[in-house]
């Protein structure tokens, strides 16, 4: 007898949607500040090809730092183990846009999901692609099943206009000889990769290969089994910044968040789950998405063979 995934999503969505709103929508990027705080969607894609949605799962939203997961995968495909000479794989324990550790650690980013590490990864892509932005869009289009992916120009302009701290991080990396490309080119690519709008349904589909030992459903290998395991490990330990310890304690799944309010979580061998709710907690992670994932993980854990 198959597990009633749709019923689970519907029940969790109804319960969490009824709870009071906690946190606030990201406002340091003005284009994101106007997002309706009541939006709430969930999508689950399974390795057997089935998919389930609830709420605003087909409403596009700005993926923001969720893009770091996909650029990391692209860089792993290009560089293999050499990538880890550019960026570490340790939890940071500090805010995602902190400069403090770079000062003490010779400009070596702790992991690819803090902004310093993500900029190092984007720099690596700029070194290999003549048109890195197009390469990122094409890669994500292929994974998500969406024929054409675009960049929200309003969000991108907003990112650019309020991106001085990220430029400072990039210049710090360059000052420590960890950046071989022009800072303006790399930061522009980074700002624009964060400004891609996708839906929960598309993001769950895009990340599904991580639940399937590195293979897309059509059999295309995206990452090797070893690289898949490494990616899931970094997600588990670093995917929610300085809030990752509490998240792992409550939810226990590899995940990656973004200040647009989305979180991708992976159920290895089962599927991928994307939850979106714009209001963020003090650490920049979606408060209701975490609540929903905690409930879902708690129910799935009692099903034999699921977790």
């Amino acid at each position: 007898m198959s597990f009633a995934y749709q019923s689970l999503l519907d029940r969790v969505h109804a319960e969490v949607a009824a709870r009071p709103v906690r946190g606030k929508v990201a406002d340091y990027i003005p284009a994101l500040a106007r997002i309706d705080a009541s939006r709430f969607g969930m999508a689950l894609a399974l390795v057997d090809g089935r998919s389930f949605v609830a709420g605003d799962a087909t409403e596009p939203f700005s993926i923001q730092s969720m893009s770091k997961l996909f650029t990391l995968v692209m860089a792993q495909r290009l560089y293999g183990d050499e990538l880890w000479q550019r960026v570490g794989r340790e939890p940071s324990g500090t805010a995602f846009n902190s400069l403090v550790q770079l000062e003490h650690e010779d400009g070596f980013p702790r992991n690819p999901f803090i902004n310093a590490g993500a900029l190092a990864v984007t720099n690596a892509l700029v070194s290999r692609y003549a048109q890195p932005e197009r390469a990122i869009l094409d890669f994500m289009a292929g994974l998500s099943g969406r024929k054409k992916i675009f960049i929200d120009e309003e969000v991108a302009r907003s990112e650019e206009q309020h991106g001085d701290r990220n430029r400072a991080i990039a210049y710090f990396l360059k000052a420590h000889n960890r950046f071989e490309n022009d800072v303006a080119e790399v930061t522009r690519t980074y700002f624009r990769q964060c400004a891609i709008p996708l839906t929960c349904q598309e993001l769950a589909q895009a990340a599904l290969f991580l639940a399937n030992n590195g293979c897309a459903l059509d059999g295309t290998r995206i990452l090797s089994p070893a690289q898949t395991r490494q990616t899931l490990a970094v997600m588990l330990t670093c995917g929610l910044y300085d809030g990752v310890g509490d998240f792992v304690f409550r939810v226990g799944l590899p995940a990656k968040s973004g200040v647009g309010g989305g979180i991708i979580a992976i159920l290895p061998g089962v599927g991928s789950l994307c939850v979106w709710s714009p209001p963020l907690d003090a650490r920049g992670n979606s408060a209701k998405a975490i609540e929903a994932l905690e409930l879902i993980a708690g129910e799935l854990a009692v099903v034999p063979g699921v977790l």
Side-chain angles (χ1 to χ4, degrees):
M1 183 176 181
S2 63
F3 183 68
Y5 289 103
Q6 186 63 59
S7 176
L8 172 61
L9 289 193
D10 290 340
R11 284 188 286 108
V12 169
H13 185 274
E15 178 176 339
V16 176
R19 295 178 181 178
V21 173
R22 294 192 303 108
K24 64 176 185 176
V25 174
D27 57 7
Y28 69 95
I29 301 171
L32 299 183
R34 299 192 298 272
I35 302 299
D36 183 352
S38 69
R39 294 288 194 179
F40 180 32
M42 300 190 297
L44 173 65
L46 300 181
V47 296
D48 65 8
R50 291 180 295 161
S51 61
F52 307 90
V53 298
D56 297 312
T58 59
E59 179 74 20
F61 65 94
S62 187
I63 66 172
Q64 294 296 310
S65 286
M66 299 166 88
S67 68
K68 297 173 183 177
L69 172 60
F70 300 101
T71 53
L72 170 62
V73 171
M74 293 176 69
Q76 286 176 291
R77 287 159 58 90
L78 289 170
Y79 288 87
D81 287 343
E82 182 190 337
L83 176 67
W84 304 111
Q85 298 173 23
R86 293 172 172 265
V87 61
R89 44 190 186 261
E90 294 289 342
S92 68
T94 59
F96 61 88
N97 59 355
S98 174
L99 281 152
V100 174
Q101 282 176 338
L102 288 176
E103 179 71 32
H104 291 286
E105 299 178 357
D106 196 29
F108 187 68
R110 276 285 182 99
N111 66 70
F113 293 150
I114 56 174
N115 288 13
L119 285 162
V121 169
T122 301
N123 171 65
L125 298 182
V126 170
S127 291
R128 291 291 186 94
Y129 289 111
Q131 295 181 297
E133 179 183 311
R134 173 47 52 195
I136 293 167
L137 291 173
D138 289 346
F139 182 66
M140 296 197 64
L143 289 178
S144 68
R146 186 170 178 172
K147 291 183 178 179
K148 186 176 181 181
I149 288 180
F150 63 94
I151 290 166
D152 185 319
E153 295 295 341
E154 181 187 6
V155 174
R157 283 193 302 272
S158 191
E159 299 263 8
E160 184 87 31
Q161 291 164 2
H162 298 82
D164 286 342
R165 191 175 185 88
N166 283 318
R167 280 185 280 268
I169 292 171
Y171 277 113
F172 198 94
L173 293 172
K174 195 171 184 69
H176 284 269
N177 298 313
R178 300 190 185 280
F179 224 73
E180 66 269 23
N181 296 295
D182 178 68
V183 165
E185 180 183 7
V186 175
T187 54
R188 182 177 187 274
T189 302
Y190 174 72
F191 295 143
R192 292 177 69 77
Q193 78 184 43
C194 290
I196 297 170
L198 288 173
T199 70
C200 287
Q201 190 172 42
E202 290 162 346
L203 283 162
Q205 184 65 41
L208 185 55
F209 71 95
L210 290 168
N212 197 36
N213 204 29
C215 285
L217 292 187
D218 65 1
T220 301
R221 179 155 294 283
I222 309 301
L223 290 179
S224 71
Q227 289 173 323
T228 303
R229 185 179 67 251
Q230 292 163 359
T231 302
L232 292 173
V234 176
M235 293 174 71
L236 188 67
T237 58
C238 308
L240 275 81
Y241 313 122
D242 51 332
V244 71
D246 183 64
F247 179 82
V248 172
F249 183 84
R250 292 172 58 183
V251 179
L253 297 174
K256 182 70 196 84
S257 64
V259 298
I263 300 178
I264 294 174
I266 305 300
L267 295 80
V270 178
S272 60
L273 179 64
C274 181
V275 184
W276 171 51
S277 173
L280 309 176
D281 63 20
R283 288 165 169 158
N285 300 310
S286 171
K288 284 199 171 185
I290 293 174
E291 292 174 3
L293 288 167
E294 183 177 17
L295 290 174
I296 291 170
E299 293 217 22
L300 292 181
V302 303
V303 180
V306 172
L307 288 179

